[in-house]
Amino acid sequence: MNMRLSDLVLVAVTLIWGVTFSLTKHGVSFVSPLLFLALRFLLAFGLLVGAGLPRLRALTRIELYAGVATGLVYAAGFIAQTMGLRTTTAAKAAFITGLNVVLVPLFSTVILRLRPERTEIAGSLLSFLGLAVLSVNRSLLLLSLGDFLVLLCAVFFALHIILMGRWATEVDPWRFTTVQVGVTGALCAALMLPLEPFPSHIPLSVWASLAFLAVFATIGTTVMQAWAQRHTDPTRTAIIFTLEPVFAAVFAFFLLGEVQSLRTWAGGALIIAGILTAELSRTRGSCSGKPWCGRSGGWRRAGRECSPRRSAPRP
């Protein structure tokens, strides 16, 4: 029951994230990226502290450490994505960001020292082929700056999924989220102050976007993800997150009027096909729904630590 509920929660998280690309692209057309992020996360941090101050008094050392570590990675991902959205479309950004779920098993291979499956290699090749179809400049055969920044964002978000899964069972979701969001907002503000001027006027529509992003897309999704990943593993989480670019493309059409070209849909379809190819093979031997074991760096199953199916030889 917990696993099914966690899957539904993660789908809801993905749906909300699908809206954020359009709202963020709208916001950064009026204010600078770092200011937009600083306002979003500091507003969310203030709400979290105000609503959970008594709970924060029980903050543990591991929650502080985990919140700071994930907050730094979270901030790096959002800074890269938001700057990229200034020069690429919301739908393209969503498909490229979706590559983070291909990177999750690849990074897990390095961190957990597992050899990649053939299907994972095939999935990665499919996804990068999709990225080429979607984003490569025909004349220069290079990614645009916006596409490259969003690709960098995918790397940081993949690390974020792994870190969330690593600490999800050891922390209180509310305290963990508060520290993480506070670190993200503080870093964005610290970078913004010397680099970007504060505008004399911010439109009401931007404040409305910030309010939605702070309450639902920051507090809501981070708490929901932290809770859901207590009952599932990063790979299963990554599979569900493949819905994000689909939701984003739909919302980009209705909110921004972005009409996607055949090339965009073809590249996006290749990316999603690659993601599913890489991920679905891992679920057969995964320990979904079981807590992380810090000593072994793996997931427990049936009361014992999981053994990797194909461990890499130790050096």
Side-chain angles (χ1 to χ4, degrees):
M1 180 62 184
N2 278 340
M3 184 179 294
R4 289 184 179 180
L5 181 58
S6 68
D7 287 350
L8 290 175
V9 169
L10 289 173
V11 170
V13 167
T14 307
L15 178 64
I16 294 171
W17 282 348
V19 186
T20 64
F21 289 91
S22 296
L23 296 182
T24 301
K25 186 167 181 63
H26 169 73
V28 297
S29 64
F30 293 96
V31 299
S32 61
L34 289 175
L35 174 60
F36 187 83
L37 288 173
L39 291 173
R40 168 184 172 175
F41 284 100
L42 290 179
L43 176 60
F45 178 68
L47 293 172
L48 282 165
V49 172
L53 186 58
R55 199 168 181 174
L56 291 174
R57 292 171 182 163
L59 182 70
T60 65
R61 182 177 297 180
I62 186 65
E63 288 167 348
L64 179 61
Y65 174 80
V68 170
T70 54
L72 291 174
V73 175
Y74 208 41
F78 271 106
I79 289 171
Q81 184 188 74
T82 305
M83 289 186 169
L85 274 166
R86 301 193 85 175
T87 54
T88 191
T89 67
K92 284 177 67 177
F95 282 119
I96 297 172
T97 301
L99 284 171
N100 74 81
V101 296
V102 169
L103 297 175
V104 166
L106 296 180
F107 288 170
S108 296
T109 297
V110 175
I111 296 171
L112 304 181
R113 304 172 73 178
L114 301 177
R115 292 175 182 171
E117 299 286 343
R118 292 179 181 177
T119 50
E120 292 168 351
I121 296 174
S124 297
L125 292 176
L126 268 176
S127 294
F128 282 104
L129 176 61
L131 176 64
V133 172
L134 185 70
S135 305
V136 170
N137 184 296
R138 293 177 180 175
S139 59
L140 298 178
L141 296 179
L142 293 172
L143 289 173
S144 69
L145 177 60
D147 293 339
F148 175 78
L149 288 172
V150 178
L151 180 59
L152 187 62
C153 152
V155 173
F156 287 116
F157 280 178
L159 292 173
H160 183 257
I161 290 176
I162 293 174
L163 291 178
M164 289 282 284
R166 166 64 182 85
W167 282 304
T169 59
E170 301 179 32
V171 297
D172 173 79
W174 189 274
R175 294 194 293 267
F176 179 45
T177 299
T178 302
V179 175
Q180 183 179 175
V181 168
V183 169
T184 302
L187 181 60
C188 292
L191 292 173
M192 179 271 297
L193 291 174
L195 297 176
E196 298 177 352
F198 198 92
S200 58
H201 172 69
I202 299 178
L204 183 60
S205 62
V206 174
W207 284 114
S209 296
L210 285 168
F212 179 90
L213 292 172
V215 175
F216 295 102
T218 303
I219 298 175
T221 59
T222 308
V223 172
M224 290 160 68
Q225 184 184 355
W227 177 87
Q229 285 200 242
R230 295 168 68 94
H231 306 287
T232 189
D233 59 50
T235 299
R236 192 178 181 89
T237 301
I239 294 171
I240 295 172
F241 285 172
T242 60
L243 293 170
E244 181 184 0
V246 179
F247 288 142
V250 171
F251 284 120
F253 173 77
F254 285 106
L255 298 179
L256 300 178
E258 287 186 4
V259 179
Q260 310 310 325
S261 66
L262 179 61
R263 182 183 180 189
T264 298
W265 285 116
L270 283 170
I271 288 176
I272 292 178
I275 289 167
L276 293 175
T277 300
E279 299 295 337
L280 288 176
S281 66
R282 294 179 68 92
T283 60
R284 300 191 188 104
S286 71
C287 305
S288 301
K290 308 303 177 185
W292 176 276
C293 174
R295 291 179 298 172
S296 67
W299 301 88
R300 294 187 187 276
R301 175 170 50 190
R304 58 185 174 82
E305 292 174 6
C306 293
S307 299
R309 285 173 297 165
R310 295 163 58 192
S311 299
R314 293 183 179 275

